[in-house]
Amino acid sequence: DLDIKFDTTFMLASLDNVEDVELTLKALKNCTKNNLVILTGIDIEPDKYHTFKITKEILYKHLGKPLIEKEMMPKLFLFEWLV
């Protein structure tokens, strides 16, 4: 756990390339005071650029329903949660 918390935390286009998605989402939530913003691919099968298939259900399970959910282009979403 961090001793400091950030008002707003961003994770941009890298969530689908972490080794442990659940641990990463927990850490993001724990280091954020107000807003958590994630830009990520959704429902993209693992390949040489994606180590994990991120689904909306995974995000909802760990972070709840987002305040904002916007499809920026096919399979690329911008989410914002109030934590």
Side-chain angles (χ1 to χ4, degrees):
D1 290 324
L2 293 175
D3 290 336
I4 62 169
K5 288 193 175 221
F6 302 97
D7 289 333
T8 301
T9 305
F10 292 88
M11 183 156 210
L12 305 175
S14 57
L15 185 61
D16 53 7
N17 201 27
V18 300
E19 289 186 23
D20 187 331
V21 173
E22 292 183 12
L23 181 63
T24 300
L25 292 172
K26 181 180 176 183
L28 286 168
K29 190 174 181 180
N30 286 340
C31 75
T32 305
K33 274 197 258 185
N34 298 319
N35 303 74
L36 174 58
V37 178
I38 297 176
L39 176 74
T40 191
I42 295 292
D43 294 327
I44 298 172
E45 294 297 328
D47 59 19
K48 77 181 211 180
Y49 301 109
H50 306 89
T51 57
F52 193 84
K53 180 179 177 179
I54 303 295
T55 65
K56 290 181 185 181
E57 291 74 22
I58 290 170
L59 296 175
Y60 298 164
K61 175 183 173 187
H62 295 283
L63 302 172
K65 283 288 200 174
L67 176 67
I68 296 172
E69 179 180 315
K70 174 76 175 160
E71 188 170 18
M72 307 302 286
M73 60 182 7
K75 294 190 173 190
L76 180 67
F77 284 79
L78 179 69
F79 297 94
E80 180 182 6
W81 286 269
L82 297 179
V83 282

